[in-house]
Amino acid sequence: MKAYYTDDVFDAVVIGAGHAGCEAALALARTGLKTALTTINLDNIAFMACNPSIGGTAKGHLVRELDALGGEMGITADKALMQIKMLNRGKGAAVQSLRSQSDKRLYHSIMKQTLENTDNLSIIQCEVTDILTENGEVTGVATSFGSILKCRAVVVATGVYLNGKVIAGEWSQNSGPSGFAAATELTKSLINLGFSIRRFKTGTPARVDKRSIDYSKLEIQEGETEIYPFSFMTDGVPEKQEPCYIAYTNQKTHDIIRANLDRSPLYNGTILSTGPRYCPSIETKVMRFADKERHQIFLEPEGYDTNEIYVQGMSTSLPHDVQKSMYRSIIGLENCKIMRFGYAIEYDCIDSLDLTPALAFKKVKGIYTAGQINGTSGYEEAAAQGLMAGINASLYLRGEEPFVLKRDDAYIGVLIDDLVTKGTDEPYRMMTSRAEYRIFLRQDNADSRLTEYGRKVGLVKDDRYERFLSRQKAIAELKEKLKIKIPVKECKEFVENYGGEVSAPLSPEDMIKRNIPLKAIKEKFGLYDGYPYDILERAETDAKYEGYLKKGLEQIEKAKKLDERRIPADIDYDEVKGLRNEAQEKLKRIRPENIGQASRISGVNPADIAVLMVYLSVAK
């Protein structure tokens, strides 16, 4: 048996330094707790193992929310920015999402420097092999070096490193992403602690040499400059941005894939774990959508100091020789040189139903989990969970109540509630359609919704808070100005040009509700000079959606009443007569904290909720 020695004593230890681990460690350290951030290799801190990008549909919402709470991802993404744009411009503001291209090495470097220069935070290169407990509480962690780091709280944020296995065709290797070592011991400890373990899969496409691409045959995709950045602390975006390019698969590409399915680990039985439904491999796309003649792909730069181009949309685990033929079948890539081949990676993760809404493990006090270990996919989902796990671990250590965002508070609230109430049988991805209150949960108002929370838990410092207050003041001031009426004779012709009728003075707010752009109003009447783009857009959106927002508030109030009906932690569901067997089983498994959460559990229907509410009323 290995002899252990106590190396140091901390308040908390964060296991893993990916996007979840970084946010968790910063949250703990910035709230005054002595924190250790452990990682198998310092070079994989905040490493972008897949996309060299931040944001995307609904993911951009998560980053803006995380930033409003005092997190770091948005600030780092803005500093490492190569290109930024708004997705879904042609749709409503509620589903518009920021997406950026990042210099992946620069992102890693900036985040690493931030961590290294944060008070109360120590970064340690080691593999954690065991979480130590006593009397149902955390006492420390053990490492493969034979050392013990004593602590009272642990955040497990191991990403895809737990028993990671990389696969491409007939070749496989026990490894983390991009050749980093896997974590091979911790899973045993998690099982012994009572976690339910499952196996998930994700994948990545090839990286090709940009000098071997014929860009003249491709569609260019530029970034945007009239746009707000991820962080409310960043002043604007760069004028000069790097372009991306669009290409398409074709019949030849699809024929190559179909002809080699017997060599595909996804189809020959080599890979048995569950992959992401909403980010499928190119093999899956071709087979699932057999009627499609082509699939769109994006060629995205990985950084300023590298020739590597990421082939977004062509994730694959086909053998290397097949990959080469497949990529070269695409117009513009006929002579492409592959620098890194695509691969699939299998890894261990937990059943998120083992967690409370604070991302705390139900069976042992002081253990929190965040990121892909919880069954999610994506940097943004990981970072959001990391921040919340770090905050709640900090509150636990300080003897305070947990901080839980509700579904009407934030996309982060939707994400975590889905995980701990519904669970997931496949890598979970955030989408705008998952948020029933998305008209309230827009990117542009994330600070109004969440910064006061961030201030309360200790992450929003004075400089950010002063900027927040200044911004809120400017928004309120502009909204009042939008209510000032303009005489009929001054606005009649302008409004009629947009197909409207004018019989009385109209305010700019009235015009906005008639779908007249604020930009046009501003230019026509020479108003609102000095207000930045984001303030103007926020005021315009609030005016446009005012009626919908009022109706939505009624739904939110109803939901809040259910969330306020607490369920005793020690309730015996066997005593609740009238519950169906399935509902009883699910309620025992998840042990919801309130009626609202119980009503969202799959397999619990309205009749079960009625029975439960009657029982609680009588039990009082």
Side-chain angles (χ1 to χ4, degrees):
M1 184 175 180
K2 184 180 290 186
Y4 287 97
Y5 67 95
T6 298
D7 183 36
D8 207 340
V9 179
F10 297 93
D11 292 311
V13 172
V14 178
I15 305 172
H19 303 284
C22 289
E23 295 291 349
L26 288 169
L28 282 156
R30 286 171 172 171
T31 50
L33 296 166
K34 185 179 178 183
T35 305
L37 175 61
T38 67
T39 175
I40 291 176
N41 190 327
L42 295 185
D43 294 333
N44 66 15
I45 289 175
F47 180 65
M48 291 181 163
C50 200
N51 269 10
S53 70
I54 297 293
T57 303
K59 294 169 179 280
H61 292 71
L62 292 173
V63 181
R64 293 274 284 182
E65 291 179 349
L66 184 154
D67 180 77
L69 287 165
E72 197 65 27
M73 174 174 268
I75 292 173
T76 307
D78 289 341
K79 290 178 179 177
L81 190 74
M82 298 181 74
Q83 184 199 95
I84 190 167
K85 59 192 173 188
M86 188 72 76
L87 303 184
N88 298 326
R89 275 285 190 197
K91 298 180 180 179
V95 297
Q96 292 177 7
S97 302
L98 288 172
R99 185 182 189 275
S100 75
Q101 288 303 125
S102 298
D103 183 315
K104 67 187 296 182
R105 296 183 191 279
L106 184 57
Y107 188 97
H108 152 78
S109 177
I110 293 168
M111 187 65 84
K112 186 168 181 282
Q113 289 173 26
T114 299
L115 294 162
E116 289 175 347
N117 292 291
T118 296
D119 293 339
N120 305 314
L121 182 57
S122 299
I123 304 172
I124 304 171
Q125 180 169 297
C126 65
E127 180 183 350
V128 171
T129 59
D130 201 4
I131 297 174
L132 308 177
T133 64
E134 191 173 311
N135 299 323
E137 298 182 10
V138 168
T139 59
V141 302
T143 77
S144 58
F145 297 137
S147 62
I148 289 177
L149 306 176
K150 288 189 174 181
C151 63
R152 293 190 298 119
V154 170
V155 178
V156 185
T158 47
V160 299
Y161 287 83
L162 277 187
N163 288 323
K165 182 180 182 181
V166 173
I167 305 166
E170 297 83 9
W171 171 85
S172 67
Q173 176 178 294
N174 294 326
S175 168
S178 296
F180 287 113
T184 58
E185 299 296 324
L186 188 59
T187 294
K188 297 174 190 173
S189 178
L190 297 177
I191 292 172
N192 290 336
L193 289 168
F195 279 101
S196 302
I197 300 297
R198 70 253 307 261
R199 195 97 169 135
F200 277 1
K201 175 201 81 76
T202 188
T204 189
R207 277 70 161 175
V208 301
D209 191 326
K210 69 180 181 182
R211 296 168 300 180
S212 64
I213 298 171
D214 186 349
Y215 289 107
S216 67
K217 298 179 179 179
L218 306 177
E219 300 173 23
I220 193 168
Q221 192 175 49
E222 303 281 5
E224 299 180 37
T225 54
E226 192 173 86
I227 193 172
Y228 50 74
F230 283 112
S231 176
F232 291 94
M233 298 297 288
T234 304
D235 296 317
V237 302
E239 287 290 325
K240 187 178 184 307
Q241 300 179 19
E242 293 296 307
C244 297
Y245 293 85
I246 297 175
Y248 297 91
T249 63
N250 52 53
Q251 193 60 50
K252 183 179 179 182
T253 313
H254 300 178
D255 288 343
I256 292 170
I257 292 169
R258 291 191 185 100
N260 289 279
L261 283 179
D262 61 322
R263 299 180 65 196
S264 167
L266 289 174
Y267 287 88
N268 63 18
T270 302
I271 293 176
L272 299 175
S273 50
T274 307
R277 179 195 306 253
Y278 300 104
C279 189
S281 68
I282 189 62
E283 299 98 290
T284 302
K285 288 181 186 178
V286 168
M287 297 307 295
R288 186 182 296 169
F289 307 106
D291 57 325
K292 290 199 71 171
E293 295 181 358
R294 66 178 190 174
H295 293 279
Q296 190 178 61
I297 61 174
F298 299 88
L299 301 177
E300 303 170 338
E302 293 235 321
Y304 290 111
D305 64 348
T306 179
N307 290 331
E308 290 184 74
I309 298 294
Y310 182 90
V311 188
Q312 161 74 4
M314 284 196 75
S315 173
T316 184
S317 57
L318 284 163
H320 289 181
D321 58 312
V322 179
Q323 287 190 40
K324 187 176 289 188
S325 299
M326 178 180 72
Y327 283 109
R328 288 183 175 179
S329 69
I330 294 169
I331 294 173
L333 301 184
E334 294 92 344
N335 300 303
C336 73
K337 295 180 179 178
I338 296 178
M339 300 175 71
R340 303 185 200 226
F341 286 90
Y343 59 83
I345 181 167
E346 294 183 308
Y347 55 94
D348 292 343
C349 58
I350 68 163
D351 184 344
S352 55
L353 295 179
D354 287 338
L355 307 174
T356 73
L359 294 179
F361 183 40
K362 294 175 181 176
K363 297 179 181 178
V364 179
K365 289 183 179 180
I367 298 180
Y368 296 79
T369 61
Q372 285 179 279
I373 189 172
N374 287 346
T376 59
S377 65
Y379 310 145
E380 303 80 8
E381 290 90 340
Q385 293 170 74
L387 179 74
M388 296 303 290
I391 289 172
N392 280 308
S394 173
L395 291 170
Y396 164 75
L397 291 169
R398 290 183 276 159
E400 298 181 26
E401 288 296 308
F403 171 48
V404 175
L405 289 168
K406 298 185 293 297
R407 296 182 74 90
D408 59 283
D409 286 326
Y411 270 78
I412 296 174
V414 175
L415 164 66
I416 294 174
D417 184 65
D418 279 354
L419 290 175
V420 305
T421 302
K422 302 175 182 177
T424 181
D425 294 323
E426 60 188 30
Y428 177 102
R429 178 179 178 174
M430 192 70 245
M431 295 181 292
T432 54
S433 60
R434 296 189 191 273
E436 59 269 44
Y437 305 117
R438 56 186 170 274
I439 197 167
F440 290 89
L441 310 182
R442 306 189 313 270
Q443 291 180 129
D444 61 297
N445 66 12
D447 59 336
S448 297
R449 291 185 280 116
L450 300 173
T451 299
E452 291 288 2
Y453 287 129
R455 181 73 167 176
K456 185 177 180 181
V457 298
L459 288 182
V460 171
K461 306 305 181 185
D462 289 347
D463 57 340
R464 178 183 283 274
Y465 194 60
E466 287 168 9
R467 180 176 283 226
F468 163 71
L469 292 177
S470 176
R471 176 177 157 83
Q472 299 312 298
K473 182 180 178 181
I475 292 169
E477 180 184 84
L478 178 55
K479 284 183 176 182
E480 287 303 311
K481 290 181 178 180
L482 290 177
K483 297 179 186 296
I484 298 173
K485 299 290 184 178
I486 297 174
V488 173
K489 63 180 182 180
E490 293 182 29
C491 68
K492 183 176 175 59
E493 183 180 353
F494 173 72
V495 174
E496 287 177 347
N497 284 338
Y498 281 89
E501 296 182 0
V502 180
S503 58
L506 293 177
S507 67
E509 183 182 69
D510 296 328
M511 297 179 200
I512 290 169
K513 290 176 180 178
R514 295 187 180 198
N515 290 321
I516 300 176
L518 179 56
K519 184 177 181 180
I521 298 169
K522 179 176 179 292
E523 291 173 354
K524 169 64 179 176
F525 299 105
L527 302 171
Y528 318 130
D529 288 336
Y531 287 98
Y533 166 82
D534 60 328
I535 300 292
L536 290 165
E537 184 172 274
R538 166 67 188 282
E540 179 181 22
T541 303
D542 281 351
K544 186 181 295 185
Y545 287 101
E546 184 182 26
Y548 296 103
L549 294 173
K550 286 180 179 177
K551 291 180 181 178
L553 283 172
E554 296 174 9
Q555 295 177 312
I556 289 175
E557 287 305 313
K558 289 180 181 178
K560 280 183 176 178
K561 289 178 181 178
L562 292 178
D563 285 339
E564 288 168 0
R565 294 288 302 273
R566 306 291 296 177
I567 300 175
D570 60 353
I571 185 173
D572 183 353
Y573 287 106
D574 289 329
E575 294 296 318
V576 185
K577 305 303 180 184
L579 281 179
R580 294 175 306 110
N581 290 339
E582 181 186 8
Q584 196 173 69
E585 181 183 323
K586 292 290 183 67
L587 289 165
K588 284 182 184 179
R589 170 76 173 86
I590 297 169
R591 304 204 69 81
E593 297 186 352
N594 54 61
I595 291 293
Q597 186 186 1
S599 69
R600 295 188 291 272
I601 296 174
S602 176
V604 177
N605 65 31
D608 297 316
I609 295 299
V611 168
L612 183 57
M613 290 177 72
V614 169
Y615 174 84
L616 293 174
S617 298
V618 173
K620 281 183 178 181

